[in-house]
Each structure stands twice: as C-alpha cells, then as structure tokens.
Amino acid sequence: MATLKDVAQLAGVSPRTVSNVVNHQPYVAGETRARVEAALAALDYRPNQLAKSLRTGKIGLLGFVVPDLAQSHFARLAAEVVQAATARGYTVAVDQTHGDIERERRLIQLGPRGAMFDGAIFHPEALRAEDIEHRESEFPLVLVGERIAGDHLDHVYIDDRAAAYEATRKLIADGHRRIAAIGLRRADYARTAHLREEGVRAALAEAEGVAGGHHQYVERYDAEDGYEAMANLVDSAERPDAVICFNDMLAMGALRRLHEHDVDVPGDMALVGFDDITEASFSFPPLTTVAADHAEIAETAVKALIGRIGDPGGAVREYLVSHRLVVRGSTRG
C-alpha cells in the first residue's frame, strides 16, 4: 500500500505538500497540486482514515437524513449529496425517518447512530421550531427544506412562497379562472406547505375574475394522496380548470385520476407540480413543475456543513437556493 512518502517521492514534493492536497487545503499551487494528484492516482493512494481521525478528531463521515428515500426527490438529492461530499474527501451514510417525530428529535440531539459522524445534513418532516430551539447537542447539523430553524441552525432552502406564487400566476396568465391546490397541511409544523399555500392564495387574491377554492388537504405527499385528492375535484360541480400540486408525486397521482375520468390535460384541466423529479419529464403529458437545482442544494448544504464542522461557534447562516418554473405539456403555452 502506497504511503505519503511514496507519493511525495514520485511527485517530487514534500510529504507535507501531499498531505495538504489530500486534505483539500487551499494553499497549494495549481501545477504542484496537479502533479501530486497524478501521483496519487498512479499509486492508487488511499488515506488511512483511522489514523486521520485519531490525529484530527474527525472521522470523514457525514450523515444525510431524509423522510423517505422511496420518493424520487429525496433519492435524487441523496445522490447529489454523496457526489458533493465525495469530491471533498468525505463518505456519506444515508438514513430515513419516515416522518417519525420521536426519531427526528433523537437524531438532532445525538446525530445519526449516536454521533459516529462529523456532522449531518437533515431534511425534517415532523420537527417543530421548538424542537430546534430546545436542542442541547452541539453535533454539527445543517437543515434542508422545512423553514423551522430560525437562527439556531444553518439552513438551505428555496423561496416556497414565491415559487408557488409564480406557478399560480402562470396558470392565471394562461387564462385559467378556477384554480385549486392539492397539498395543504393542517399540521402547524408543515411550514413548507403553509408557505406554498400562502403563495397560491396571494396570486389568486391579486387576480380579478379568478376563483380559488376546493383546496385539498393531504396527510402525505405521495401519489396515492394525490389520486384521492383529485377525486374530490374532478367530480365537483365547480370543477377547477387548473390545479397546482405541492409536489410532483401528488401531481402524478392526480394525473392518473384525470386519465381515468377522460379529462384532457391541459385542455380541460392544467396541472403543475413541485420538485422536477425525473418522472415529471416522462409522464403523459410531461409535467410542468417548479424546479430547484438538486446539485446546487447538495453543494450548498455540503459546503455549509463542512464549514460548520470547522467552525462550530460561527454565526448561523441561511442559504437561499434559486428556483425556476419548467413549463411542459401539462399546461398551456
């Protein structure tokens, strides 16, 4: 097995320089870094993680926790987090909570699997703001998604209210006058759903001659709930001519129900989703959806977490990630 000295000898540099490259330190000249990286590859060098953890107090392992890996949005985000962390010399272990609030509370106190990690990126589903406020652990943590962290934890998010507002304005501009939403949540902790609802209602309130209503509450953001929610709309005497779903899986279920009722999309009813999952571009018709860049979210979260690990007492930061409306065949225009 190659050692730092072996790599240094091949690259014509000191072992300290090799160590700086391996540990992603910035103060190595570009030409020197390239020479060292070539030597590392030629000798198939593998760092001794045990020795490194004993020396630095860091393990080189990050956690990524999501509600449900069966949902394409979270699976895709996990793949991007792994890629972003690997590029920085970290390994990632992925876990899921299925929205169990007690499990989520334990994880923010102890970290995944008893804090055998340097830190974790966490996408909560059931946590409340007070759970974050009363957190006593100093385990490095970055939240993604639900905006419940306040000034207690670093947080990566999109502007959900603005995104839902823009999607609704698109439907209004296309001539739709009866617009409903699927995905409202009654739980006070479901901040993302509440923000998206606010965006829809704000756009409807501004538009003359446009009716909102028959908005559908759901328990879960999955295709089954979307399918059942659309049943309440498609059989209504005041059936909407456009529906915005608060994630793409809800939209997939809703689309299935519309096909079963021979409702033309978008001729009789337009449909918009959120998340831009892979299936959105392969549905029939392809789904118009609000897209946040999964790679940007992952890059931002991994960089924020590594920064937090290196500076535990630094100021808490919020990171706003851009979004865009991807227009496909489920809407006009």
PDB file of all heavy atoms in Angstrom, residues 30 56 58 65 92 97 110 118 133 152 154 157 163 167 170 186 199 243 252-253 306 313:
ATOM      1  N   GLY A  30      -1.388  25.460  -8.267  1.00  0.00           N
ATOM      2  CA  GLY A  30      -2.138  24.616  -9.188  1.00  0.00           C
ATOM      3  C   GLY A  30      -1.293  23.567  -9.877  1.00  0.00           C
ATOM      4  O   GLY A  30      -1.689  22.388  -9.972  1.00  0.00           O
ATOM      5  N   THR A  56      -6.909  14.098  13.830  1.00  0.00           N
ATOM      6  CA  THR A  56      -7.679  15.327  13.651  1.00  0.00           C
ATOM      7  C   THR A  56      -8.934  15.396  14.502  1.00  0.00           C
ATOM      8  O   THR A  56      -9.528  16.466  14.646  1.00  0.00           O
ATOM      9  CB  THR A  56      -8.111  15.465  12.176  1.00  0.00           C
ATOM     10  OG1 THR A  56      -9.027  14.404  11.854  1.00  0.00           O
ATOM     11  CG2 THR A  56      -6.909  15.402  11.245  1.00  0.00           C
ATOM     12  N   LYS A  58     -11.585  13.985  13.567  1.00  0.00           N
ATOM     13  CA  LYS A  58     -12.675  13.875  12.597  1.00  0.00           C
ATOM     14  C   LYS A  58     -12.644  12.506  11.933  1.00  0.00           C
ATOM     15  O   LYS A  58     -11.584  11.920  11.740  1.00  0.00           O
ATOM     16  CB  LYS A  58     -12.566  14.984  11.545  1.00  0.00           C
ATOM     17  CG  LYS A  58     -12.737  16.383  12.125  1.00  0.00           C
ATOM     18  CD  LYS A  58     -12.647  17.428  11.047  1.00  0.00           C
ATOM     19  CE  LYS A  58     -12.978  18.821  11.599  1.00  0.00           C
ATOM     20  NZ  LYS A  58     -12.028  19.233  12.657  1.00  0.00           N
ATOM     21  N   VAL A  65     -29.973  12.720   6.192  1.00  0.00           N
ATOM     22  CA  VAL A  65     -31.214  12.145   6.707  1.00  0.00           C
ATOM     23  C   VAL A  65     -32.402  12.791   6.012  1.00  0.00           C
ATOM     24  O   VAL A  65     -32.527  14.021   5.972  1.00  0.00           O
ATOM     25  CB  VAL A  65     -31.327  12.364   8.229  1.00  0.00           C
ATOM     26  CG1 VAL A  65     -32.590  11.684   8.767  1.00  0.00           C
ATOM     27  CG2 VAL A  65     -30.092  11.824   8.943  1.00  0.00           C
ATOM     28  N   VAL A  92     -20.541   9.423   2.798  1.00  0.00           N
ATOM     29  CA  VAL A  92     -21.878   9.769   3.280  1.00  0.00           C
ATOM     30  C   VAL A  92     -22.670   8.507   3.599  1.00  0.00           C
ATOM     31  O   VAL A  92     -22.685   7.562   2.810  1.00  0.00           O
ATOM     32  CB  VAL A  92     -22.655  10.602   2.237  1.00  0.00           C
ATOM     33  CG1 VAL A  92     -24.060  10.928   2.739  1.00  0.00           C
ATOM     34  CG2 VAL A  92     -21.902  11.893   1.921  1.00  0.00           C
ATOM     35  N   THR A  97     -36.340   8.798   8.056  1.00  0.00           N
ATOM     36  CA  THR A  97     -37.103   8.850   9.306  1.00  0.00           C
ATOM     37  C   THR A  97     -38.565   8.466   9.133  1.00  0.00           C
ATOM     38  O   THR A  97     -39.246   8.230  10.120  1.00  0.00           O
ATOM     39  CB  THR A  97     -37.075  10.273   9.888  1.00  0.00           C
ATOM     40  OG1 THR A  97     -37.781  11.157   8.997  1.00  0.00           O
ATOM     41  CG2 THR A  97     -35.640  10.756  10.075  1.00  0.00           C
ATOM     42  N   LEU A 110     -28.591  13.611  19.054  1.00  0.00           N
ATOM     43  CA  LEU A 110     -27.459  12.686  19.107  1.00  0.00           C
ATOM     44  C   LEU A 110     -26.689  12.590  17.808  1.00  0.00           C
ATOM     45  O   LEU A 110     -25.554  12.105  17.790  1.00  0.00           O
ATOM     46  CB  LEU A 110     -27.953  11.278  19.485  1.00  0.00           C
ATOM     47  CG  LEU A 110     -28.667  11.142  20.820  1.00  0.00           C
ATOM     48  CD1 LEU A 110     -29.204   9.725  20.976  1.00  0.00           C
ATOM     49  CD2 LEU A 110     -27.733  11.485  21.958  1.00  0.00           C
ATOM     50  N   ASP A 118     -19.059  13.162  11.601  1.00  0.00           N
ATOM     51  CA  ASP A 118     -18.555  14.513  11.822  1.00  0.00           C
ATOM     52  C   ASP A 118     -19.687  15.530  11.824  1.00  0.00           C
ATOM     53  O   ASP A 118     -19.580  16.588  12.443  1.00  0.00           O
ATOM     54  CB  ASP A 118     -17.543  14.879  10.730  1.00  0.00           C
ATOM     55  CG  ASP A 118     -16.280  14.038  10.812  1.00  0.00           C
ATOM     56  OD1 ASP A 118     -15.850  13.743  11.935  1.00  0.00           O
ATOM     57  OD2 ASP A 118     -15.739  13.687   9.758  1.00  0.00           O
ATOM     58  N   GLU A 133     -35.209  24.849  18.864  1.00  0.00           N
ATOM     59  CA  GLU A 133     -34.855  25.833  19.892  1.00  0.00           C
ATOM     60  C   GLU A 133     -34.347  25.173  21.162  1.00  0.00           C
ATOM     61  O   GLU A 133     -33.456  25.692  21.828  1.00  0.00           O
ATOM     62  CB  GLU A 133     -36.078  26.696  20.209  1.00  0.00           C
ATOM     63  CG  GLU A 133     -36.514  27.599  19.066  1.00  0.00           C
ATOM     64  CD  GLU A 133     -37.853  28.268  19.326  1.00  0.00           C
ATOM     65  OE1 GLU A 133     -38.346  28.119  20.472  1.00  0.00           O
ATOM     66  OE2 GLU A 133     -38.393  28.905  18.411  1.00  0.00           O
ATOM     67  N   HIS A 152     -31.114  29.230  14.775  1.00  0.00           N
ATOM     68  CA  HIS A 152     -30.485  28.192  15.599  1.00  0.00           C
ATOM     69  C   HIS A 152     -29.595  27.243  14.802  1.00  0.00           C
ATOM     70  O   HIS A 152     -28.672  26.654  15.351  1.00  0.00           O
ATOM     71  CB  HIS A 152     -31.557  27.395  16.343  1.00  0.00           C
ATOM     72  CG  HIS A 152     -32.371  28.220  17.287  1.00  0.00           C
ATOM     73  ND1 HIS A 152     -31.930  28.553  18.549  1.00  0.00           N
ATOM     74  CD2 HIS A 152     -33.582  28.795  17.139  1.00  0.00           C
ATOM     75  CE1 HIS A 152     -32.853  29.293  19.158  1.00  0.00           C
ATOM     76  NE2 HIS A 152     -33.858  29.451  18.318  1.00  0.00           N
ATOM     77  N   ASP A 154     -27.839  26.349  10.650  1.00  0.00           N
ATOM     78  CA  ASP A 154     -27.665  26.686   9.242  1.00  0.00           C
ATOM     79  C   ASP A 154     -28.774  26.016   8.431  1.00  0.00           C
ATOM     80  O   ASP A 154     -29.185  24.893   8.739  1.00  0.00           O
ATOM     81  CB  ASP A 154     -26.303  26.199   8.744  1.00  0.00           C
ATOM     82  CG  ASP A 154     -25.149  26.883   9.461  1.00  0.00           C
ATOM     83  OD1 ASP A 154     -25.199  28.105   9.630  1.00  0.00           O
ATOM     84  OD2 ASP A 154     -24.213  26.174   9.860  1.00  0.00           O
ATOM     85  N   TYR A 157     -32.558  26.428   1.636  1.00  0.00           N
ATOM     86  CA  TYR A 157     -33.975  26.387   1.277  1.00  0.00           C
ATOM     87  C   TYR A 157     -34.228  27.154  -0.020  1.00  0.00           C
ATOM     88  O   TYR A 157     -33.372  27.903  -0.494  1.00  0.00           O
ATOM     89  CB  TYR A 157     -34.818  27.012   2.391  1.00  0.00           C
ATOM     90  CG  TYR A 157     -34.587  28.494   2.570  1.00  0.00           C
ATOM     91  CD1 TYR A 157     -35.474  29.424   2.049  1.00  0.00           C
ATOM     92  CD2 TYR A 157     -33.467  28.964   3.253  1.00  0.00           C
ATOM     93  CE1 TYR A 157     -35.263  30.780   2.201  1.00  0.00           C
ATOM     94  CE2 TYR A 157     -33.244  30.316   3.408  1.00  0.00           C
ATOM     95  CZ  TYR A 157     -34.147  31.228   2.882  1.00  0.00           C
ATOM     96  OH  TYR A 157     -33.922  32.570   3.031  1.00  0.00           O
ATOM     97  N   ALA A 163     -42.208  30.733  -5.170  1.00  0.00           N
ATOM     98  CA  ALA A 163     -42.320  29.711  -6.204  1.00  0.00           C
ATOM     99  C   ALA A 163     -43.780  29.365  -6.481  1.00  0.00           C
ATOM    100  O   ALA A 163     -44.202  29.252  -7.643  1.00  0.00           O
ATOM    101  CB  ALA A 163     -41.554  28.464  -5.788  1.00  0.00           C
ATOM    102  N   ALA A 167     -45.938  30.069  -9.968  1.00  0.00           N
ATOM    103  CA  ALA A 167     -46.634  28.988 -10.675  1.00  0.00           C
ATOM    104  C   ALA A 167     -48.112  29.315 -10.843  1.00  0.00           C
ATOM    105  O   ALA A 167     -48.710  29.064 -11.907  1.00  0.00           O
ATOM    106  CB  ALA A 167     -46.458  27.679  -9.915  1.00  0.00           C
ATOM    107  N   LYS A 170     -48.637  31.913 -13.498  1.00  0.00           N
ATOM    108  CA  LYS A 170     -48.529  31.296 -14.826  1.00  0.00           C
ATOM    109  C   LYS A 170     -49.890  30.737 -15.262  1.00  0.00           C
ATOM    110  O   LYS A 170     -50.333  30.938 -16.407  1.00  0.00           O
ATOM    111  CB  LYS A 170     -47.471  30.196 -14.779  1.00  0.00           C
ATOM    112  CG  LYS A 170     -47.617  29.057 -15.781  1.00  0.00           C
ATOM    113  CD  LYS A 170     -47.361  29.489 -17.211  1.00  0.00           C
ATOM    114  CE  LYS A 170     -47.445  28.271 -18.149  1.00  0.00           C
ATOM    115  NZ  LYS A 170     -47.460  28.682 -19.565  1.00  0.00           N
ATOM    116  N   ARG A 186     -52.618  20.579   7.620  1.00  0.00           N
ATOM    117  CA  ARG A 186     -53.177  21.196   8.827  1.00  0.00           C
ATOM    118  C   ARG A 186     -52.142  21.313   9.941  1.00  0.00           C
ATOM    119  O   ARG A 186     -52.254  22.164  10.817  1.00  0.00           O
ATOM    120  CB  ARG A 186     -54.384  20.395   9.319  1.00  0.00           C
ATOM    121  CG  ARG A 186     -55.585  20.495   8.387  1.00  0.00           C
ATOM    122  CD  ARG A 186     -56.810  19.823   8.971  1.00  0.00           C
ATOM    123  NE  ARG A 186     -57.994  20.092   8.166  1.00  0.00           N
ATOM    124  CZ  ARG A 186     -58.357  19.387   7.108  1.00  0.00           C
ATOM    125  NH1 ARG A 186     -57.601  18.369   6.710  1.00  0.00           N
ATOM    126  NH2 ARG A 186     -59.440  19.690   6.444  1.00  0.00           N
ATOM    127  N   GLY A 199     -48.437  31.424  -1.082  1.00  0.00           N
ATOM    128  CA  GLY A 199     -48.124  31.897  -2.425  1.00  0.00           C
ATOM    129  C   GLY A 199     -49.293  31.753  -3.377  1.00  0.00           C
ATOM    130  O   GLY A 199     -49.582  32.660  -4.174  1.00  0.00           O
ATOM    131  N   VAL A 243     -54.928  23.003 -11.544  1.00  0.00           N
ATOM    132  CA  VAL A 243     -54.574  22.566 -10.190  1.00  0.00           C
ATOM    133  C   VAL A 243     -53.064  22.651 -10.015  1.00  0.00           C
ATOM    134  O   VAL A 243     -52.310  22.204 -10.889  1.00  0.00           O
ATOM    135  CB  VAL A 243     -55.042  21.115  -9.917  1.00  0.00           C
ATOM    136  CG1 VAL A 243     -54.552  20.637  -8.547  1.00  0.00           C
ATOM    137  CG2 VAL A 243     -56.562  21.020 -10.008  1.00  0.00           C
ATOM    138  N   MET A 252     -48.500  13.291  -9.892  1.00  0.00           N
ATOM    139  CA  MET A 252     -48.555  12.024 -10.624  1.00  0.00           C
ATOM    140  C   MET A 252     -49.840  11.257 -10.297  1.00  0.00           C
ATOM    141  O   MET A 252     -50.501  10.695 -11.176  1.00  0.00           O
ATOM    142  CB  MET A 252     -47.336  11.164 -10.283  1.00  0.00           C
ATOM    143  CG  MET A 252     -46.026  11.722 -10.791  1.00  0.00           C
ATOM    144  SD  MET A 252     -45.974  11.782 -12.589  1.00  0.00           S
ATOM    145  CE  MET A 252     -44.548  12.835 -12.827  1.00  0.00           C
ATOM    146  N   GLY A 253     -50.201  11.231  -9.021  1.00  0.00           N
ATOM    147  CA  GLY A 253     -51.442  10.578  -8.637  1.00  0.00           C
ATOM    148  C   GLY A 253     -52.655  11.292  -9.195  1.00  0.00           C
ATOM    149  O   GLY A 253     -53.609  10.666  -9.668  1.00  0.00           O
ATOM    150  N   ILE A 306     -19.492  21.343   6.110  1.00  0.00           N
ATOM    151  CA  ILE A 306     -18.044  21.274   6.320  1.00  0.00           C
ATOM    152  C   ILE A 306     -17.554  22.556   7.007  1.00  0.00           C
ATOM    153  O   ILE A 306     -16.699  22.524   7.894  1.00  0.00           O
ATOM    154  CB  ILE A 306     -17.320  21.029   4.990  1.00  0.00           C
ATOM    155  CG1 ILE A 306     -17.650  19.622   4.466  1.00  0.00           C
ATOM    156  CG2 ILE A 306     -15.806  21.188   5.150  1.00  0.00           C
ATOM    157  CD1 ILE A 306     -17.116  19.332   3.079  1.00  0.00           C
ATOM    158  N   GLY A 313     -18.590  27.402  16.364  1.00  0.00           N
ATOM    159  CA  GLY A 313     -19.166  28.567  17.030  1.00  0.00           C
ATOM    160  C   GLY A 313     -19.465  29.732  16.111  1.00  0.00           C
ATOM    161  O   GLY A 313     -19.852  30.806  16.574  1.00  0.00           O
TER     162      GLY A 313
END
